[in-house]
Amino acid sequence: AMGNLEELLIEGMYLSNDSLYAISQMKNLQELALPKELHTEDGLQYLAAMDSLKRLDLMSFELSPQGAEYIARTPNLKSLSINREISDEAVEKLSRLSSLTDLTLNVRYPQRGGLTDAALHSLAKLKNLESLNIGYGQFTDDGFRQLARLPRLKRVMIPNCIIGEPVYQYLVTTLPDLKEAYFRNFLPPRYKRLVPLHLLPTLERAQQ
């Protein structure tokens, strides 16, 4: 019966490599959420055998470049959510996930400075990406400009970073499918939900 599971959420604090290997043998599994701690990241290499896996959520552990390289071998992954600190180098490894359509890097309080423009240069290789959510980064307009290389992008959320208006307008005019955007200075704090792009210029900008 376990072999027929399509979704698996593992709660708690710890998961061993042997357990990850057992999970990798579930040939119908499409969605997997991993707990706060792994024995080592070596267990992530078993994900490469999971042809059926479409969505992976890493609940709360830091992902190293080596761990990211293991995940990048998952052949058909479409959605990836990482809820802990990640480096530019690790993001570069993830840029090999050619099937990815939805990426969340939910880093809110990085201890080592957070992502930089180098990460956005790497993410621009994900030509099938439709939704991008980054909790925090030290980005400049040069980095934001790289988002124009994502032809299928529909939604971008980088709520803790300010984007220059010329670059914002460049993205709006360059990306034909872009419907929603969220930057620190393009959505007033009182608006709790995303606002369609065509309405954003008429709204009062958030205080920088």
Side-chain angles (χ1 to χ4, degrees):
M2 291 288 287
N4 294 323
L5 279 179
E6 294 184 357
E7 300 179 20
L8 181 61
L9 168 62
I10 302 173
E11 297 181 339
M13 297 293 294
Y14 177 83
L15 188 69
S16 69
N17 292 341
D18 288 343
S19 296
L20 259 179
Y21 175 77
I23 291 170
S24 73
Q25 303 305 300
M26 299 178 181
K27 300 306 181 183
N28 294 314
L29 196 65
Q30 297 182 27
E31 299 186 14
L32 174 62
L34 296 179
K36 291 186 176 181
E37 299 293 340
L38 299 180
H39 181 245
T40 69
E41 287 186 324
D42 290 343
L44 294 173
Q45 64 186 300
Y46 301 130
L47 300 178
M50 303 183 70
D51 291 342
S52 63
L53 191 63
K54 300 293 192 297
R55 176 174 177 174
L56 176 63
D57 292 344
L58 305 184
M59 305 297 283
S60 185
F61 61 86
E62 183 175 348
L63 188 68
S64 73
Q66 181 61 69
E69 183 170 336
Y70 289 145
I71 289 176
R73 299 174 188 172
T74 311
N76 298 308
L77 201 63
K78 292 186 175 299
S79 177
L80 175 62
S81 178
I82 298 173
N83 292 292
R84 193 73 178 269
E85 189 157 2
I86 187 171
S87 66
D88 289 340
E89 293 77 14
V91 170
E92 193 279 327
K93 304 293 185 183
L94 296 177
S95 68
R96 304 172 191 175
L97 288 165
S98 59
S99 298
L100 206 64
T101 61
D102 188 336
L103 177 62
T104 296
L105 304 175
N106 197 21
V107 184
R108 296 188 181 277
Y109 305 106
Q111 298 178 357
R112 290 188 289 278
L115 299 175
T116 71
D117 286 351
L120 296 181
H121 279 264
S122 296
L123 294 178
K125 301 174 186 177
L126 297 171
K127 301 306 182 185
N128 288 310
L129 200 65
E130 298 179 359
S131 178
L132 176 63
N133 184 341
I134 301 178
Y136 181 85
Q138 296 185 335
F139 304 129
T140 70
D141 282 351
D142 176 67
F144 289 134
R145 190 175 292 271
Q146 300 305 311
L147 299 177
R149 297 167 56 196
L150 298 169
R152 299 187 178 183
L153 195 64
K154 298 177 180 178
R155 181 173 182 262
V156 56
M157 293 182 64
I158 308 180
N160 290 307
C161 296
I162 293 172
I163 186 173
E165 184 166 354
V167 178
Y168 169 82
Q169 296 297 342
Y170 172 68
L171 295 179
V172 171
T173 57
T174 303
L175 295 169
D177 295 331
L178 192 61
K179 299 294 190 298
E180 296 175 319
Y182 184 176
F183 297 92
R184 180 178 168 187
N185 57 323
F186 271 87
L187 193 66
R190 64 180 179 273
Y191 285 83
K192 301 301 183 183
R193 61 181 179 83
L194 292 178
V195 175
L197 277 177
H198 71 278
L199 296 180
L200 282 173
T202 69
L203 297 175
E204 179 184 353
R205 302 280 168 76
Q207 295 296 319
Q208 298 185 11

